[in-house]
Amino acid sequence: MNEKIKIAVLGGSGYGGSELLRILLFHPNAEIVLVTANEHAGKPVVDVHRNLNGLTNLVFTPAPDDMSALSGIDIVFFALPHGQALNLIPQLPFATRAIDLSGDFRIDDPATFKQYYKLDHAGDLQSGFVYGLTETNREAIKTAKYIANPGCFATATLLALAPMVKSGLLDGKIVVDAKTGSSGSGAKAAPNTHHPQRSNSFYAYKPFAHQHVPEIEQHLRSVGDFDNDFVFMTHSLPVSRGIFASCYMETKLHMTNEDLVNLYKHFYEGSFFIRWSDGSPDINWVKNSNFCDIAAHTSGRNVVVFAALDNLVKGAAGQAVQNMNLMFGLEETTGLIFAGGNP
């Protein structure tokens, strides 16, 4: 592309918005022309995101009263709480594309969406959205106008399970034990994310009721023949960043570790951001990066697959930029090749 992509970030003061800015400021084809945060309107971005000090002169503005005013914008990233993009995206100019990082457009069935999000469904608008799990939905994303960016738990779980579902080898129940850092709860302090409580604690939450369950099941049905019993449990880790998903399943045939490795490496051939781990992934090695590290092991018909990623990058902002790249005909990895820290 000769011209830069003109970008608006709505909801730029939260953790998701912060990561979008951190990535997009160094993207060679991106130009951020608008970043909103109503409670911080008028403040320089660097007053809120100190990590960007000296790197940008952007100033937070209030969200426009009418989204149709964004006629010069090529794409809008919605990093807003659940429920807000539902009303705003229909107002966008016809030519403006959108990537929504909330759950507003992830679920196709209105009754299921109402059950898990307590909101009214998008109706006909929903059919215009493509689910943005890049590695499994790449071709549809390339021609999409609107993207529903996956949830962080859903991204890790789906990347761990998709090759097995596609293979048709699964038999019986799938159990996923997934854990997340506190940043997944957002930038505003709450009793379950306040550091003195979280730092030395470990607990489960939303048993059988997590909003990512229908999202995961829905997408697995599009990947392959999926009608297995599915148990998904989430836990709170005493760390700030990271998702670690342990996925247990049975197969119809006895498999060796070599069989598993070949299956996964074939499925993710050409997917730069999927890395293979021989033993176990570690959230330290994916932190602040767009990588998802995967390992798999088998004992006869019993299989366990581990997946680790950064919930704010591959689980949110990084995957959103990965999808933007595809939508605008760019190399998928553009602006996203950076390593995590060590340690």
Side-chain angles (χ1 to χ4, degrees):
M1 293 183 62
N2 294 324
E3 295 186 8
K4 292 200 172 186
I5 303 166
K6 291 181 172 54
I7 295 168
V9 176
L10 271 59
S13 63
Y15 289 146
S18 173
E19 289 295 85
L20 281 169
L21 294 173
R22 181 174 72 90
I23 295 167
L24 291 169
L25 282 170
F26 299 95
H27 191 295
N29 301 94
E31 179 186 355
I32 304 170
V33 298
L34 177 71
V35 54
T36 74
N38 288 345
E39 64 182 302
H40 296 292
K43 291 182 183 178
V45 164
V46 298
D47 283 1
V48 176
H49 302 310
R50 302 289 184 174
N51 60 314
L52 301 179
N53 191 22
L55 301 173
T56 180
N57 295 317
L58 285 166
V59 175
F60 287 118
T61 68
D65 293 330
D66 183 358
M67 292 292 113
S68 65
L70 301 179
S71 57
I73 302 295
D74 295 312
I75 188 165
V76 181
F77 289 90
F78 288 82
L80 299 167
H82 301 312
Q84 295 192 20
L86 277 168
N87 298 317
L88 298 175
I89 286 179
Q91 303 174 26
L92 288 174
F94 179 78
T96 302
R97 303 183 218 188
I99 297 178
D100 179 39
L101 278 72
S102 79
D104 288 7
F105 300 97
R106 294 173 186 161
I107 307 299
D108 292 336
D109 180 66
T112 303
F113 182 70
K114 184 78 169 181
Q115 176 186 348
Y116 282 88
Y117 286 93
K118 314 305 180 190
L119 295 165
D120 292 329
H121 194 255
D124 292 342
L125 182 62
Q126 182 65 33
S127 63
F129 275 81
V130 168
Y131 188 66
L133 189 70
T134 319
E135 282 73 17
T136 62
N137 222 14
R138 197 173 269 116
E139 294 307 311
I141 291 166
K142 288 178 181 179
T143 58
K145 180 178 180 181
Y146 298 141
I147 295 290
N149 220 56
C152 51
F153 272 131
T155 297
T157 303
L158 287 166
L159 291 174
L161 295 180
M164 295 301 299
V165 170
K166 182 70 172 179
S167 74
L169 294 173
L170 288 182
D171 186 30
K173 185 180 295 183
I174 299 171
V175 177
V176 176
D177 178 333
K179 303 169 178 69
T180 185
S182 58
S183 57
S185 297
K188 291 189 176 181
N192 63 326
T193 59
H194 191 44
H195 188 71
Q197 177 176 332
R198 184 87 176 228
S199 63
N200 295 296
S201 180
F202 184 80
Y203 54 88
Y205 66 100
K206 294 185 179 178
F208 297 108
H210 199 284
Q211 68 272 15
H212 289 177
V213 170
E215 174 187 348
I216 293 166
E217 293 178 326
Q218 174 181 280
H219 191 61
L220 287 177
R221 287 192 292 269
S222 74
V223 170
D225 184 13
F226 175 75
D227 59 1
N228 305 70
D229 288 339
F230 180 65
V231 177
F232 181 75
M233 292 294 159
T234 53
H235 303 78
S236 169
L237 280 174
V239 299
S240 62
R241 303 172 79 117
I243 296 271
F244 194 100
S246 301
C247 308
Y248 305 94
M249 61 204 91
E250 288 188 44
T251 54
K252 298 173 182 176
L253 306 172
H254 282 65
M255 299 183 71
T256 66
N257 281 340
E258 184 180 5
D259 293 332
L260 273 179
V261 171
N262 290 336
L263 189 155
Y264 273 76
K265 287 189 174 181
H266 175 73
F267 187 91
Y268 287 121
E269 186 177 3
S271 292
F272 179 82
F273 293 114
I274 305 298
R275 302 190 301 193
W276 187 258
S277 298
D278 289 331
S280 170
D282 188 321
I283 57 174
N284 274 329
W285 313 136
V286 293
K287 190 166 55 178
N288 300 304
S289 83
N290 198 53
F291 290 105
C292 176
D293 287 359
I294 294 177
H297 303 273
T298 182
S299 175
R301 292 176 54 204
N302 295 312
V303 171
V304 61
V305 182
F306 304 118
L309 54 78
D310 186 310
N311 54 295
L312 297 177
V313 188
K314 183 57 175 169
Q319 185 159 227
V321 174
Q322 194 177 351
N323 289 329
M324 179 197 77
N325 288 338
L326 290 175
M327 294 167 78
F328 286 88
L330 299 173
E331 170 56 44
E332 187 176 311
T333 60
T334 304
L336 289 168
I337 300 179
F338 42 83
N342 182 14

